[in-house]
Amino acid sequence: MNTTTSIILDTRRAKQDGTFPVKLRVTHQRKQKYFAIGISLSQTDFDKAQGEKPRGEYKDLKIKFGSLEARAIKVIEKLPEFSFEAFEKRFLEKKQSGQDVYSYYDRYIDSLKQEGRVGTASSYQTSLNSLKSFHPKKLSFAKVNAEFLLAYERWMLSRGNSQTSVGIYLRTLRALFNLAIEEGVLDKKDYPFGKRKYQIPAGRNIKKALTLEDIQKIFDYQPVSESEAWSRDLWLFSYLCNGINVKDIARLKYRNIEGDKITFIRAKTERTAKKNLKPVVAILTPEAKEILERWGLKPRHAETYVFGILTNSVTPEREMKLVQQAVKNINKYIKRIAVALGIEKEVTTYTARHSFSTILKRSGAPIEFISESLGHQDLKTTEYYLDSFEDDVKKQYAGLLTNFKKSH
């Protein structure tokens, strides 16, 4: 075959962000033509993706490049006579019809499971099951337009689902559209989300944070059983340690504890953040140290899980089940405690994280500090977490508007 292909970085003109487009180069009888594949990288990132043993995102990129080139070679082999025009027509036709939505879901769910991200895989599977209930037949990307998405939203709501659920399911679909565009299977013009198209509904931000008064009640509560004591203490540990979630509590080992602080990488971001993962640092207050002393496993070896929720060498599937059971137990008893204390809001493990961030906000802490403490990658995520101020605080500030009256 006198026609060759290769994946190259087109460095002739940089984009505004300093990256260059990655292209498929087809060479025939010393003539070359370039085809954009919808990916842009820096020279350094491209070199890493093309290296012998790339890891993480670079490994994913290398697989994508190989898949695209293999597809191009198949198109060339099937052409009776090569011409760039014939290749482009067949290649773009193949690109448009190469994958359907459900097969993309299946492939992505499999890749998540292979990475050990079984919780995320479960979320995508739930979204896929819902879409299949709405549209049982094969679903092409072309079929998914603003009208289709609006019809799906109405169907979901008519069956008693909330706007929040609709948003959760459709954000996974949006992520797959972005992936298909990135892989060159779709063109950006076929993207059905965004302004003047379909906008995913935002869930209602229900107040989840407790007041400082309610948190004091939980601190002062005298548990009636060991299960209550364990659940109350782990809830408080989450609140005291930057709103750390139960999965990260379960993953804590003694090597994460040094002096008056714990340092850890959030499980939620360790495989999804692209680079420069920043560890979360939580200061251990005297109360948090007391909880560690009460419930921490002994002897304290560096590789021992602190709270004994997990054991060494558990599979990702087993880890998910153990964490889910711990969350279930904590929620069961912390809800009982809340009822006994007359706390009207629903109290769960999630409430501890929201309470941590909101109490800091009400105390005047900068949002940048709160964001870093929570381990968020951007401030928008933090702003969503932060609860609104209590009415008495609003009244206090409103009174300042006419403070001049008090000087007369």
Side-chain angles (χ1 to χ4, degrees):
M1 186 173 67
N2 61 353
T3 306
T4 60
T5 63
S6 60
I7 299 292
I8 61 100
L9 189 68
D10 189 352
T11 57
R12 292 175 294 183
R13 182 179 296 176
K15 300 179 75 172
Q16 288 185 346
D17 61 1
T19 62
F20 301 95
V22 180
K23 294 184 178 180
L24 170 72
R25 183 176 66 196
V26 179
T27 304
H28 178 72
Q29 296 180 350
R30 298 185 181 180
K31 292 182 180 179
Q32 295 178 333
K33 191 162 184 179
Y34 297 85
F35 300 88
I37 64 173
I39 299 174
S40 296
L41 297 172
S42 67
Q43 182 70 62
T44 300
D45 286 343
F46 181 76
D47 291 342
K48 288 181 179 179
Q50 295 288 66
E52 272 190 40
K53 293 182 179 179
R55 295 182 178 181
E57 61 176 315
Y58 302 112
K59 182 178 180 180
D60 293 339
L61 285 169
K62 188 163 188 174
I63 292 170
K64 290 174 188 176
F65 296 161
S67 175
L68 282 166
E69 195 171 1
R71 198 170 78 220
I73 291 170
K74 282 185 179 179
V75 170
I76 292 168
E77 289 174 343
K78 289 181 180 179
L79 288 175
E81 184 177 348
F82 182 87
S83 71
F84 285 112
E85 293 77 15
F87 170 80
E88 184 172 1
K89 182 180 179 182
R90 292 276 186 95
F91 185 69
L92 291 179
E93 281 178 358
K94 184 74 175 173
K95 188 172 83 167
Q96 292 296 331
S97 61
Q99 295 281 2
D100 66 280
V101 174
Y102 295 156
S103 65
Y104 243 70
Y105 262 104
D106 289 335
R107 191 186 77 178
Y108 193 62
I109 289 167
D110 286 342
S111 69
L112 288 170
K113 288 179 178 177
Q114 289 170 11
E115 293 174 14
R117 296 165 61 188
V118 290
T120 306
S122 177
S123 297
Y124 273 80
Q125 186 65 56
T126 303
S127 172
L128 172 60
N129 294 343
S130 176
L131 278 169
K132 282 185 172 179
S133 294
F134 172 67
H135 187 85
K137 298 179 182 178
K138 183 176 180 179
L139 181 61
S140 66
F141 280 104
K143 173 81 174 175
V144 183
N145 52 26
E147 290 75 21
F148 176 92
L149 294 169
L150 186 59
Y152 172 72
E153 178 186 331
R154 289 170 178 162
W155 177 84
M156 284 279 287
L157 296 175
S158 71
R159 280 155 177 76
N161 294 286
S162 66
Q163 292 276 12
T164 300
S165 295
V166 175
I168 290 171
Y169 290 175
L170 288 182
R171 275 191 285 275
T172 64
L173 180 60
R174 183 176 63 188
L176 291 181
F177 261 88
N178 287 326
L179 178 62
I181 290 170
E182 184 180 310
E183 292 185 341
V185 173
L186 287 178
D187 291 324
K188 289 184 178 179
K189 63 181 177 62
D190 299 318
Y191 192 64
F193 301 95
K195 290 182 179 179
R196 297 177 185 171
K197 293 184 179 181
Y198 177 81
Q199 292 187 307
I200 295 176
R204 217 159 35 99
N205 191 7
I206 302 169
K207 293 182 181 180
K208 303 178 183 74
L210 300 182
T211 64
L212 206 52
E213 181 183 3
D214 284 338
I215 293 168
Q216 184 180 354
K217 290 178 183 177
I218 295 173
F219 263 100
D220 295 339
Y221 178 78
Q222 295 300 313
V224 297
S225 68
E226 187 172 288
S227 295
E228 264 197 6
W230 183 85
S231 300
R232 191 277 306 266
D233 280 359
L234 261 67
W235 189 93
L236 289 174
F237 188 82
S238 171
Y239 168 72
L240 293 168
C241 296
N242 296 26
I244 181 174
N245 65 33
V246 175
K247 186 172 185 177
D248 291 323
I249 289 176
R251 285 185 161 198
L252 282 182
K253 293 184 175 182
Y254 279 108
R255 61 176 162 80
N256 297 113
I257 303 174
E258 185 179 352
D260 291 336
K261 65 183 181 182
I262 59 172
T263 305
F264 63 96
I265 300 291
R266 294 185 68 205
K268 188 174 182 177
T269 60
E270 68 177 358
R271 290 189 178 93
T272 55
K274 299 220 169 175
K275 57 182 76 173
N276 299 326
L277 275 176
K278 192 171 182 180
V280 176
V281 178
I283 301 301
L284 290 170
T285 64
E287 295 83 1
K289 287 181 179 179
E290 287 176 9
I291 293 170
L292 285 171
E293 185 61 34
R294 271 197 296 272
W295 302 107
L297 294 186
K298 298 175 182 67
R300 299 181 174 183
H301 297 303
E303 293 303 314
T304 299
Y305 285 107
V306 175
F307 292 105
I309 297 171
L310 301 178
T311 57
N312 288 320
S313 303
V314 293
T315 64
E317 291 78 11
R318 180 61 178 160
E319 180 188 85
M320 184 176 73
K321 288 179 180 178
L322 290 170
V323 170
Q324 287 176 340
Q325 187 59 49
V327 171
K328 184 178 179 180
N329 289 339
I330 294 169
N331 284 340
K332 174 182 175 180
Y333 290 102
I334 199 67
K335 286 178 181 179
R336 287 185 187 180
I337 291 170
V339 170
L341 293 171
I343 297 173
E344 294 182 357
K345 286 186 179 179
E346 183 179 16
V347 183
T348 67
T349 55
Y350 211 49
T351 313
R353 185 167 175 81
H354 279 269
S355 297
F356 163 80
S357 57
T358 302
I359 294 297
L360 285 186
K361 171 192 170 185
R362 293 170 186 163
S363 302
I367 188 172
E368 292 81 4
F369 172 79
I370 300 171
S371 184
E372 179 180 311
S373 299
L374 291 168
H376 287 162
Q377 300 297 309
D378 59 71
L379 294 181
K380 286 184 179 179
T381 307
T382 311
E383 288 168 354
Y384 175 81
Y385 261 75
L386 294 177
D387 210 342
S388 58
F389 289 101
E390 297 299 309
D391 288 344
D392 58 346
V393 178
K394 292 177 182 177
K395 289 177 183 177
Q396 178 185 338
Y397 281 114
L400 296 177
L401 299 174
T402 53
N403 202 34
F404 54 85
K405 291 184 176 181
K406 297 175 184 177
S407 60
H408 295 290

